[in-house]
Each structure stands twice: as structure tokens, then as C-alpha cells.
Amino acid sequence: MPKEEVIPKLIPVFRHCGYEGATVSQLSKATGLKKASLYHYFQGGKEEMAKAVLEYISHWIEEHIFAPLQTEKPALDRLNAMCAGIDEFYKSGQDPCFLAVMSLGEADNLFHQQLEQSLKKWLDTLSAIAEETGIPPQQAKENAEDAMITIQGALVLVRVTKDTQVFHRAIAKIPEILLSN
Amino acid sequence: MPKEEVIPKLIPVFRHCGYEGATVSQLSKATGLKKASLYHYFQGGKEEMAKAVLEYISHWIEEHIFAPLQTEKPALDRLNAMCAGIDEFYKSGQDPCFLAVMSLGEADNLFHQQLEQSLKKWLDTLSAIAEETGIPPQQAKENAEDAMITIQGALVLVRVTKDTQVFHRAIAKIPEILLSN
DNA sequence: GTCTATATAGGGATAGAC
DNA sequence: GTCTATCCCTATATAGAC
């Protein structure tokens, strides 16, 4: 099995269990590879596995969430396309945010720089599209923050309530949040 | 040392490390009690410690965040008092939300019922104060959800960006979120 | 590349002295 | 109530055969 096929199978374990909660045994089961085989691919052990997942996800976001923003369509259409990507990425709120999960405990010590960079990228991208529609920079920055707050907060609520409606309602608001002034 | 003094010392460990990330050794250090002494108080082990913290926090919220809502002052004053309690509770966003942290991995299996109940209490309380000001029930419910989303989302953002301003800006919006229609 | 078998450390938890 | 000492298990990680 090529490494590119292994990484996606690691994702749900880290997402749902967190870094410390995820055991190599679980990761082994999830991939179908025995522990020693996992260590063959990831000589740095669990830490390297998490790092690989982090990079994989950054890439996925780039392609599925940010890419729709680079077309020539009207801003609102592009935003709605992005929201569709977000809904897919978080499975309507049923999958926790990797970034949020990895910002706890030991994982935060290990990965804080990458996490911060990833979030900054999100915020900058969202802010840019707001500015594009004529919103002043400072306002655009705050709108981007509010949009991320809405996404992350909705994920927490859904995790506890299991009510995906809350997530859909929240995501539907993203465009107006970003474009408000 | 009486048990009531022990529990508060457990809180920061669980909050920052999560349930699985928190080790009994860490809890021991944080309390200043050796492991065996901890087990003397909490015969159910780590699980019972987390449970005790959960109850302690529910109680704290009741007294410091919900109580200010029960006075005879104008609704807006009461909401601002509540926001002050929230800011204190989360140390301006520098302390993660216990509820959010405990809704991951194994902890979620163990405590999901209590977590759900706690969140429901939050939402009901917020919804009630919105209704009090004449907002129709369904709208009040959604406003309460939006308020909780804002709190939880801001906590995630601050955890990664270390920018407490974001938290203050978010909290300041809570009253208008709750009372909007 | 994938496995079985194993090493080593640290986890949660208990026994029993004081 | 608090401790030291210890048990057992699981966690991460490695060695080496195929």
C-alpha cells in the first residue's frame, strides 16, 4: 500500500481521539497495517504520522475549499461553493476540526507553529475575499475571524448535541458574515 | 487537605490536556498529593476525578454566570454581568472550555450525557433571557445557539492565535446576538 | 513492504505502613 | 489522610525474519 493511501486512513482516528488519545494500535487497525509496517512508513512514529496528516489536510483544504474562491464567478457564488467544501470537510459537523483537536495538550506543544500558520492562512484567505467586495481591511479581518468563530463554534455544539441542523444553519450564515459591514 | 480544595487543582490539567492526555502523575503534581492519596479521595480513579471536576464546574457556572441573570436589573445589564462571568471563567479565552475538551475521544463516551445536559442548560438559560425581552421562542433558541457558537468558536481561535482581543470582541457581541431578531 | 516477537517506559491502580 | 513500594497492563517503539 502506497503511503498516500495510508495517510487518509489515519485522519479519522486523530480527529476523533485527539493526538494523545489516538493509539498506534488504533491507527494500525484503521489502516489495516501492523504497527511495524506503520513505523516503516513513519520512522518518526506517531508524531510523524500526525504531522503527515496535518500536511495532507492543509493540502486538501487548499484544493477543495480555497480553490473554488479563485474562479471568475461572482463573489457570492464562490462563497457558496466554499461553504459546500466546508460542509463536506466537516461532514456536516460530525467530524471534529483537526486544527482544534490538535491545539490541546502535548499536541499543541508539538504542532503549534503549523496550526497557527494553517489558521492564519484560512483567515487571510477569507479576509481577502471580503476585501475584494469592497470591505475595508480592518473590517474584512474581523469578518474573517467571525466566520472562523462560527465554523469552529458550530463544530463544538454539534459534537455535543449531535444536531447537524445547527451546523448547516451556521455555515449558511458564513457569506453574510464575511460580507457584512 | 479537604476534597473541596483538591478538585479546583485538578481543573487546569483536564482543561489543557484533555481527559486522555491528563495523567494521574500530572494530577498528582498539580494537587501536591501523591497518587495513592488521590485514589483515597477518588476511588473511581481518573474517571471519578473528571466527573467531580465536571460537577464542580457546573456548580461554578450556576453561581457565577447564571446567577447574575436572576436579578431585577434591566436585561442588558444582566447580560453584561453574565459576560463578565464568562470572561472570568475562560480567562479571556486562555483557558479551553472543559465541555469542548471532554467531548473528544474516550471522554465523550464516558461523559456524553452530562456534557449534553450541561450544554442544554446553557442554551435554555440563554434562550429564556432572550424570550424575556419579547423575542419569539424559535428565534430565541437560535440566538442562544449563536451565542454559544460564538463563545466556543472564539475559544478555539484564541487557543491557536493567542490573541485574547478576539475573545473580548466576541464576548462583547453576545448581548446583541441574543437580543437580535 | 509486511509481518511476529520483543524490549522498555509509563500509564492507572492497589497494598499496607504510618 | 498521606505516604512508599509495587503490581499489571498497555503504550510507543525496535529487531530481524520473510
Side-chain angles (χ1 to χ4, degrees):
Chain A
M1 189 189 310
K3 196 170 180 177
E4 299 77 50
E5 279 181 44
V6 178
I7 297 176
K9 295 183 180 172
L10 300 171
I11 298 179
V13 183
F14 281 118
R15 258 189 165 178
H16 286 277
C17 302
Y19 179 69
E20 332 218 19
T23 71
V24 179
S25 299
Q26 285 175 303
L27 295 165
S28 164
K29 262 191 193 163
T31 54
L33 292 174
K34 297 295 177 186
K35 290 186 201 177
S37 305
L38 275 181
Y39 280 96
H40 169 74
Y41 284 120
F42 308 96
Q43 289 178 250
K46 196 167 87 162
E47 184 176 339
E48 195 184 320
M49 296 181 213
K51 206 170 181 176
V53 168
L54 210 51
E55 281 162 16
Y56 183 96
I57 285 184
S58 291
H59 204 239
W60 196 98
I61 290 173
E62 207 77 43
E63 293 204 340
H64 293 76
I65 299 183
F66 294 161
L69 294 173
Q70 316 300 329
T71 64
E72 295 298 323
K73 294 175 190 167
L76 207 61
D77 287 5
R78 284 180 283 155
L79 281 177
N80 282 325
M82 179 188 74
C83 287
I86 291 173
D87 188 61
E88 184 191 350
F89 183 59
Y90 294 115
K91 292 250 175 61
S92 298
Q94 291 171 105
D95 280 1
C97 177
F98 197 71
L99 190 128
V101 162
M102 296 296 270
S103 61
L104 290 168
E106 174 66 5
D108 189 48
N109 297 331
L110 294 173
F111 307 116
H112 191 267
Q113 293 226 350
Q114 288 101 304
L115 299 175
E116 195 173 357
Q117 202 179 347
S118 279
L119 179 59
K120 196 176 177 324
K121 182 75 192 278
W122 265 92
L123 291 171
D124 287 348
T125 304
L126 294 177
S127 184
I129 192 157
E131 279 196 53
E132 234 181 81
T133 69
I135 292 169
Q138 178 59 25
Q139 181 69 42
K141 181 170 171 287
E142 292 188 7
N143 287 358
E145 286 167 359
D146 289 347
M148 279 305 294
I149 283 174
T150 298
I151 295 169
Q152 294 297 332
L155 287 169
V156 174
L157 251 72
V158 173
R159 211 157 70 213
V160 176
T161 64
K162 311 282 188 203
D163 177 7
T164 53
Q165 267 198 320
V166 170
F167 190 75
H168 289 132
R169 216 168 49 74
I171 294 303
K173 280 190 187 170
I174 300 293
E176 62 179 277
I177 290 173
L178 271 175
L179 305 183
S180 79
N181 47 32
Chain B
M1 188 188 309
K3 195 170 181 177
E4 299 78 50
E5 279 181 42
V6 178
I7 298 175
K9 295 182 182 174
L10 301 172
I11 298 179
V13 183
F14 281 118
R15 258 189 165 179
H16 287 277
C17 303
Y19 180 70
E20 331 218 20
T23 71
V24 179
S25 300
Q26 285 175 304
L27 295 164
S28 166
K29 263 191 194 163
T31 54
L33 292 173
K34 296 296 175 186
K35 288 190 199 177
S37 305
L38 276 181
Y39 279 93
H40 168 74
Y41 283 118
F42 308 95
Q43 289 178 252
K46 196 166 86 162
E47 184 176 339
E48 195 184 320
M49 297 180 212
K51 206 170 181 176
V53 168
L54 210 52
E55 280 162 18
Y56 183 95
I57 284 185
S58 292
H59 204 240
W60 197 98
I61 290 173
E62 206 77 43
E63 292 205 340
H64 293 77
I65 299 184
F66 294 161
L69 294 173
Q70 315 301 329
T71 65
E72 296 297 323
K73 295 175 189 168
L76 207 59
D77 288 4
R78 284 181 282 156
L79 281 177
N80 283 325
M82 179 189 75
C83 288
I86 291 173
D87 188 61
E88 184 191 350
F89 182 59
Y90 294 115
K91 293 250 172 62
S92 298
Q94 292 171 103
D95 280 1
C97 179
F98 198 69
L99 189 129
V101 163
M102 296 298 270
S103 61
L104 291 167
E106 174 66 5
D108 188 47
N109 297 331
L110 295 172
F111 306 116
H112 191 267
Q113 294 225 351
Q114 288 102 303
L115 299 176
E116 195 172 357
Q117 201 179 348
S118 279
L119 178 59
K120 195 177 178 323
K121 182 75 192 278
W122 266 92
L123 291 170
D124 287 348
T125 305
L126 294 177
S127 184
I129 192 157
E131 280 196 53
E132 233 181 83
T133 69
I135 292 168
Q138 178 59 24
Q139 181 70 41
K141 181 170 171 285
E142 292 188 7
N143 287 358
E145 286 168 359
D146 288 348
M148 280 305 295
I149 283 175
T150 299
I151 295 170
Q152 294 297 332
L155 287 169
V156 174
L157 251 72
V158 173
R159 211 158 69 214
V160 176
T161 64
K162 311 284 187 200
D163 178 7
T164 53
Q165 267 198 320
V166 170
F167 190 76
H168 289 132
R169 214 167 52 73
I171 295 304
K173 280 191 186 167
I174 299 292
E176 63 179 278
I177 290 173
L178 272 176
L179 305 183
S180 78
N181 47 31

